[in-house]
């Protein structure tokens, strides 16, 4: 009898006996020689078919799932189910030696794919807002949740880190009207030069100048206003390239006690940074919708900064709001705000804008107080950034006051 037993090292080791090949074989026998081999099929193989002298072939069974009728030596050479096909046993290929390298390479495939996907996902996650903006044009607003950090990791959670990351996106706005001039602040939201500010900062203005963080000044025009929300959208004329845009966060995630930073131009002091916490949510703040009220306050204030009147807690500040008013829900903060901060940014510690500063109380604004007690007392209000985002399309179309 020809050698039918496995020789050490001739076949791959393991439990996969189906992958071993006999060195020589003439004709199948009725019982296996090696008891370790699987039993023969339940059916009787067809008689041998002699095609050429010296070569013996067997008809294919077409049974691909029982281990005997499929594969390169039973039936179709490529494992397909084609009854009647044949395969020669005269010259079987040499069995593979040692561990199967193909199987190892395949095992690495999924891990390599997962690693590549993880790297791409990380890259996308870190630059989503910027990437979308660059692909869709310069009028796309960068927006994120409050968990997305704009501040570098080494400075995360610090006031200096927030100031460094966001200050280039905050501008000083000088508005000139028939009643005089006033100073406020604004937030750059697109690389095309769109800037969000308060309506009362630019209300009735015949000319608007915007001073960037780098000291350069540009002319701007009003795109749209919404006096009911005290919001306005202006746009730089001949905006320079490379404008640093702010990232608008999610004010719905803001909680009482959260640390915040305010950046603006109080009394014309460009880029002033103050910090504090969120003192309360959903405060009812009432402001005038009549631009003449603000012009009267500017004319009589003489401070060079906007003196927009507002009501809070049944009391009026910065003058008389008049009979035409509107009320909105605001974030309350103890971060120091003064005239000129209006339209500037209230920022979380990740560097996301969570509010647009709109109203502030100082003892000097109370008719019962003297000028010697002027200054911030830690009672300021900001329009939630989600209100701004929901109103942006309307402002771009001219606003509700058009």
């Amino acid at each position: 009898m020809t050698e039918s037993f496995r020789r050490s090292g001739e076949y791959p080791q393991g439990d996969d006996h189906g992958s071993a090949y006999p060195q020589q074989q003439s004709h199948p026998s009725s019982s296996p020689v090696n008891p370790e081999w699987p039993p023969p099929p339940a059916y009787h193989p067809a008689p041998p078919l002699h095609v050429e002298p010296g070569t013996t072939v067997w008809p294919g069974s077409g049974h691909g799932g029982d281990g005997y009728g499929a594969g390169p030596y039973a039936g179709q050479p490529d494992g397909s189910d084609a009854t009647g096909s044949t395969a020669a046993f005269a010259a079987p290929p040499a069995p593979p030696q040692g561990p199967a390298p193909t199987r190892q390479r395949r095992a690495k495939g999924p891990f390599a794919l997962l690693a590549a996907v993880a790297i791409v996902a990380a890259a996308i996650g870190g630059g989503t807002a910027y990437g979308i903006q660059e692909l869709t044009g310069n009028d796309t607003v960068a927006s994120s949740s409050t968990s997305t950090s704009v501040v570098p990791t080494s400075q995360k959670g610090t006031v200096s880190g927030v100031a460094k990351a966001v200050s280039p996106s905050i501008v000083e706005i000088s508005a000139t009207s028939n009643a005089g001039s006033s100073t406020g602040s604004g937030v750059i939201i697109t690389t095309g030069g769109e800037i969000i500010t308060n309506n009362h900062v630019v209300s009735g203005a015949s000319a608007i100048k915007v001073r960037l963080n780098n000291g350069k000044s540009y002319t701007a025009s009003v795109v749209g206003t919404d006096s009911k929300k005290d919001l306005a959208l202006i746009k730089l004329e001949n905006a320079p390239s490379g404008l640093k845009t702010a990232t608008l966060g999610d004010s719905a995630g803001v909680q009482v006690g959260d640390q915040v930073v305010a950046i603006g131009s109080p009394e014309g002091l460009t880029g002033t940074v103050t910090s504090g916490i969120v003192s309360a949510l959903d405060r009812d703040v009432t402001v005038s919708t009549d631009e003449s009220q603000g012009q009267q306050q500017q004319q009589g204030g003489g401070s060079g900064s906007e003196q927009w009147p507002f009501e809070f807690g049944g009391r009026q500040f910065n003058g008389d709001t008049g009979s035409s008013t509107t009320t909105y829900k605001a974030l309350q903060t103890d971060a120091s705000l003064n005239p000129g901060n209006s339209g500037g940014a209230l920022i979380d510690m990740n560097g996301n804008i969570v509010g647009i500063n709109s109203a502030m109380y100082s003892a000097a604004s109370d008719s019962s107080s003297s000028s010697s007690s002027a200054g911030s007392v830690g009672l300021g209000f900001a329009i939630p950034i989600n209100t701004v985002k929901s109103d942006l399309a309307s402002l771009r179309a001219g606003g509700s006051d058009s």
Side-chain angles (χ1 to χ4, degrees):
M1 179 178 293
T2 57
E3 292 181 1
S4 301
F5 289 92
R6 275 193 313 194
R7 295 179 180 179
S8 176
E10 286 186 351
Y11 311 118
Q13 299 300 314
D15 296 330
D16 189 5
H17 300 297
S19 63
Y21 306 100
Q23 282 286 52
Q24 297 179 353
Q25 181 174 343
S26 57
H27 298 283
S29 62
S30 59
S31 62
V33 177
N34 191 338
E36 296 181 353
W37 291 8
Y43 55 87
H44 294 286
L49 176 64
H50 295 276
V51 179
E52 294 181 4
T55 303
T56 302
V57 295
W58 294 93
S61 65
H63 299 282
D66 55 13
Y68 292 94
Y73 292 98
Q76 193 75 355
D78 61 356
S80 60
D81 188 9
T83 303
S85 61
T86 60
F89 286 92
Q97 302 296 323
T102 302
R103 190 169 297 175
Q104 290 181 353
R105 287 195 296 271
R106 290 179 179 175
K108 293 179 181 178
F111 292 103
L113 178 59
L114 289 174
V117 171
I119 291 172
V120 172
I124 292 175
T128 300
Y130 175 79
I132 291 176
Q133 182 168 319
E134 290 302 309
L135 288 172
T136 57
N138 58 10
D139 285 337
T140 301
V141 179
S143 181
S144 73
S145 68
T146 54
S147 61
T148 302
S149 183
V150 179
V151 181
T153 303
S154 60
Q155 296 180 304
K156 187 176 180 180
T158 65
V159 174
S160 60
V162 172
K164 184 177 181 180
V166 184
S167 287
S169 304
I170 312 303
V171 302
E172 177 184 300
I173 298 175
S174 298
T176 303
S177 67
N178 295 332
S181 61
S182 65
T183 301
S185 304
V187 179
I188 301 173
I189 61 171
T190 67
T191 57
E194 288 185 335
I195 297 170
I196 281 288
T197 187
N198 287 141
N199 175 62
H200 71 259
V201 171
V202 297
S203 178
S206 56
I208 300 174
K209 288 287 186 180
V210 173
R211 185 182 181 186
L212 303 182
N213 179 258
N214 60 12
K216 296 182 179 180
S217 296
Y218 296 85
T219 301
S221 58
V222 175
V223 176
T225 59
D226 186 347
S227 61
K228 292 182 174 59
K229 296 186 174 87
D230 195 15
L231 291 172
L233 180 68
I234 66 175
K235 189 170 184 178
L236 298 180
E237 297 176 1
N238 301 315
S241 60
L243 287 175
K244 173 72 173 180
T245 61
T247 300
L248 308 187
D250 180 9
S251 53
V254 174
Q255 298 181 14
V256 173
D258 283 353
Q259 289 183 294
V260 286
V261 174
I263 304 179
S265 300
E267 303 294 349
L269 300 174
T270 306
T272 296
V273 177
T274 58
S275 64
I277 64 168
V278 174
S279 304
L281 306 174
D282 299 326
R283 292 298 199 196
D284 289 328
V285 174
T286 300
V287 298
S288 176
T289 57
D290 185 358
E291 67 181 37
S292 64
Q293 292 297 122
Q295 292 175 0
Q296 291 172 12
Q297 300 306 318
Q298 291 173 14
Q299 194 171 30
S303 65
S305 298
E306 43 73 40
Q307 296 286 333
W308 190 248
F310 73 97
E311 295 180 14
F312 172 69
R315 299 170 61 187
Q316 293 192 9
F317 306 98
N318 300 340
D320 186 7
T321 55
S323 58
S324 179
T325 62
T326 184
T327 301
Y328 58 81
K329 298 291 185 180
L331 302 174
Q332 181 183 329
T333 179
D334 70 348
S336 180
L337 300 179
N338 289 284
N341 272 114
S342 286
L346 190 67
I347 313 155
D348 68 17
M349 300 309 290
N350 288 323
N352 298 303
I353 312 298
V354 294
I356 299 297
N357 299 322
S358 57
M360 63 289 305
Y361 165 77
S362 66
S365 67
D366 192 339
S367 59
S368 63
S369 302
S370 64
S371 59
S372 62
S373 60
S376 173
V377 294
L379 189 59
F381 304 93
I383 301 169
I385 202 63
N386 286 4
T387 300
V388 177
K389 291 191 289 187
S390 66
D391 202 34
L392 192 55
S394 175
L395 291 172
R396 282 175 167 164
S400 61
D401 297 331
S402 60

